[in-house]
Amino acid sequence: MISRLLSFAAAAGLVAAPIAGQAQQTMGQGNLLGLPSDLSMLQDSDPNHRVATAVVNGYVVTETDVDQRAALLLAANQTPVSEEELVRLRMQVLRNLIDETLQIQAAEAQELEVPAAEVEQTYTSVATRNFGQAAEQMDEYLRSIGSSPASLKRQITGELAWNRLLRRNIAPFVNVSSDEVTELIERLEASRGTEEFRLGEIYLSATPETEAAVEANASKIVEQLRQGGSFVAYARQFSEASTAAVGGDLGWIQLAQLKNPQLETVAAEMSPGQLVGPIRIPGGFSILYLIDKRQVLMADPRDAMLSLKQIQISFAPGTSEALAQQRVAAFTEGVRDIRGCGDAESAAARLGANVVTNDQIRVRSLPEALQNILLQLQVGQATPPFGSFEEGVRVLMLCGRDDPEVAAGPDFNQIMGELEDERIEKRAQRYLRDLRNDAFIEYN
């Protein structure tokens, strides 16, 4: 599917631009431009200090435009950035606004203008999805963070215009044969039961001259991500791989498809939710994020629906640690004696505990440590106690489990659609590069 209606967080995009390495090119290492090795600049230049405005084929991108879009990004990222990082963020925002302008202009040139009513409809849909009420509430929020409804509507216009262009100029000329789909389905069937991974990747290219600077930049990105930054947002702006447009998502793959022994080894040891990097690979550095993993064409046990009883004790303020430990020991012993879920209420009363019933809980919605324990339990058994003196100590007793149905085989039309989307995405990137090459852009 070409069109992607943006969520409010996705509409915000990302946070910072890569640190520019100071590459020294030499003729001995393939200086294709034939530049002298001892450049003498006629003016002082600080690449991190520019006035963030531009004129794109006659359309003015103002400093206010940059400020308001940057405010969206900062709000989406939810982590503070340094002054140095903010400068890079603003430069990245300017590049995004230039691309957005080129996309809108290209659509207008081909009489594919986006009606204002469609923009308003999409804006209202985003507001409803994120605020559950009328668009006015999102208007107020945008203004409160230093952005504006007009800034977000401009971004929506750019996305809708680009989708129109792709549907007319690229999608009709992308073909996937039935033989290609059939061959892929046969490969999937042959690998049934083997492990596959859904990975996110940020790839930064490097030369021997720029390697140190690129590695330092990659380390900064990892640091921001571990502080809560959006992997999708950073991948969109930083990654030089073809998957940057989809937030670095490689989709479901087997490790051999990475075609890199170092990445295969690292990914094989990762757990869902884990971030690793930067990893030095030929040609640059990679940052990997394991979104999930599963077995090919097999039902995922984590999709099982559970019925649970949560049995909990709490501690009055001022309870000594010794007394609390005694109570936890008695609670642990008492839980072992509970004879199934039917006995939970009366046993809890004897232990001075509370019982809460939770039905239709999907295993994957629970913390990973609990997932592994609960999947090993039989009905009527309980987890080991967990918690703290401050928040209370509890166990979860399994009272029912509905396992997921065996996964169906791959869907022919779905696979064909995925292959088409992949090819459309690659051609779209080339299309945008052509628009940039043909544009008249003046920086102020």
Side-chain angles (χ1 to χ4, degrees):
M1 182 179 183
I2 301 171
S3 176
R4 298 188 190 92
L5 291 180
L6 55 158
S7 67
F8 185 70
L14 161 81
V15 185
I19 299 172
Q22 297 178 344
Q24 296 182 348
Q25 300 186 17
T26 64
M27 296 299 291
Q29 292 172 324
N31 184 353
L32 299 179
L33 298 179
L35 300 177
S37 59
D38 55 343
L39 288 174
S40 178
M41 304 304 296
L42 301 182
Q43 289 183 334
D44 292 336
S45 174
D46 181 356
N48 287 327
H49 182 70
R50 299 180 187 172
V51 178
T53 56
V55 181
V56 184
N57 294 329
Y59 179 88
V60 179
V61 178
T62 69
E63 193 160 0
T64 299
D65 294 332
V66 176
D67 290 340
Q68 292 182 348
R69 190 64 60 84
L72 267 179
L73 305 185
L74 290 169
N77 202 55
Q78 297 181 340
T79 55
V81 298
S82 65
E83 288 297 322
E84 180 185 5
E85 200 79 3
L86 184 60
V87 171
R88 289 194 289 269
L89 177 145
R90 289 173 58 81
M91 296 310 303
Q92 184 64 47
V93 166
L94 178 57
R95 287 191 286 271
N96 293 345
L97 288 170
I98 289 171
D99 285 348
E100 183 178 283
T101 300
L102 292 172
Q103 291 167 348
I104 293 172
Q105 289 174 341
E108 290 174 346
Q110 298 185 35
E111 299 183 350
L112 293 174
E113 297 185 34
V114 179
E118 186 175 352
V119 175
E120 290 293 338
Q121 182 181 3
T122 305
Y123 181 83
T124 301
S125 175
V126 173
T128 301
R129 203 159 52 236
N130 289 277
F131 292 90
Q133 297 183 16
E136 288 77 10
Q137 187 172 351
M138 191 163 77
D139 293 350
E140 295 176 6
Y141 171 77
L142 291 173
R143 295 188 186 100
S144 72
I145 63 172
S147 187
S148 72
S151 181
L152 183 53
K153 289 176 184 178
R154 173 77 176 177
Q155 187 163 349
I156 291 171
T157 301
E159 181 168 337
L160 295 176
W162 190 233
N163 285 335
R164 278 169 163 74
L165 281 169
L166 300 186
R167 283 198 297 268
R168 171 184 282 187
N169 299 339
I170 293 181
F173 306 102
V174 169
N175 296 309
V176 176
S177 70
S178 297
D179 289 344
E180 290 179 88
V181 178
T182 301
E183 182 183 352
L184 181 55
I185 289 175
E186 289 173 353
R187 290 205 305 268
L188 287 171
E189 289 289 359
S191 60
R192 181 184 288 271
T194 60
E195 217 168 22
E196 63 178 353
F197 300 73
R198 187 177 176 194
L199 285 163
E201 181 189 23
I202 297 174
Y203 170 70
L204 304 176
S205 65
T207 64
E209 295 85 0
T210 64
E211 185 175 281
V214 172
E215 184 174 17
N217 186 33
S219 297
K220 281 180 174 288
I221 294 172
V222 170
E223 182 181 346
Q224 288 289 324
L225 292 173
R226 285 180 173 153
Q227 291 175 3
S230 166
F231 187 92
V232 170
Y234 271 88
R236 282 179 174 170
Q237 303 300 329
F238 291 154
S239 182
E240 298 172 44
S242 60
T243 54
V246 290
D249 190 349
L250 299 177
W252 287 103
I253 63 170
Q254 293 182 298
L255 294 184
Q257 292 174 254
L258 291 173
K259 299 177 181 178
N260 183 291
Q262 293 144 294
L263 296 183
E264 290 179 33
T265 301
V266 170
E269 301 297 325
M270 292 174 67
S271 301
Q274 187 176 356
L275 178 76
V276 176
I279 306 161
R280 181 182 278 100
I281 61 174
F285 295 87
S286 277
I287 300 167
L288 291 184
Y289 175 66
L290 182 57
I291 302 169
D292 204 355
K293 63 181 178 180
R294 67 185 183 187
Q295 290 182 307
V296 177
L297 301 181
M298 302 293 286
D300 192 330
R302 292 170 300 166
D303 287 325
M305 302 297 289
L306 306 182
S307 176
L308 303 170
K309 284 189 183 293
Q310 188 174 172
I311 307 171
Q312 177 178 349
I313 57 172
S314 54
F315 304 91
T319 302
S320 68
E321 184 174 347
L323 186 59
Q325 288 177 343
Q326 290 177 9
R327 191 171 177 208
V328 169
F331 175 68
T332 303
E333 187 66 30
V335 167
R336 291 199 191 101
D337 295 333
I338 298 178
R339 297 169 299 172
C341 294
D343 187 37
E345 303 287 344
S346 57
R350 294 193 300 271
L351 296 170
N354 297 319
V355 179
V356 177
T357 300
N358 304 106
D359 286 323
Q360 297 299 297
I361 302 298
R362 193 175 297 276
V363 174
R364 69 169 63 249
S365 68
L366 298 168
E368 186 176 356
L370 281 175
Q371 291 181 27
N372 297 330
I373 293 172
L374 284 165
L375 287 173
Q376 303 303 317
L377 296 182
Q378 299 295 328
V379 171
Q381 292 183 321
T383 66
F386 60 92
S388 65
F389 294 153
E390 294 77 15
E391 298 178 356
V393 173
R394 69 195 75 183
V395 299
L396 293 178
M397 178 169 284
L398 180 63
C399 298
R401 171 174 168 174
D402 295 321
D403 289 314
E405 296 181 4
V406 176
D411 181 85
F412 186 94
N413 291 330
Q414 181 182 355
I415 289 179
M416 177 169 280
E418 290 173 353
L419 290 175
E420 289 175 347
D421 283 351
E422 180 181 345
R423 293 180 186 180
I424 289 171
E425 195 65 56
K426 289 180 179 178
R427 293 195 185 186
Q429 292 174 33
R430 292 198 295 268
Y431 188 12
L432 183 56
R433 284 199 297 268
D434 291 341
L435 293 178
R436 292 176 186 138
N437 290 337
D438 295 337
F440 293 90
I441 304 175
E442 302 172 65
Y443 293 94
N444 299 324

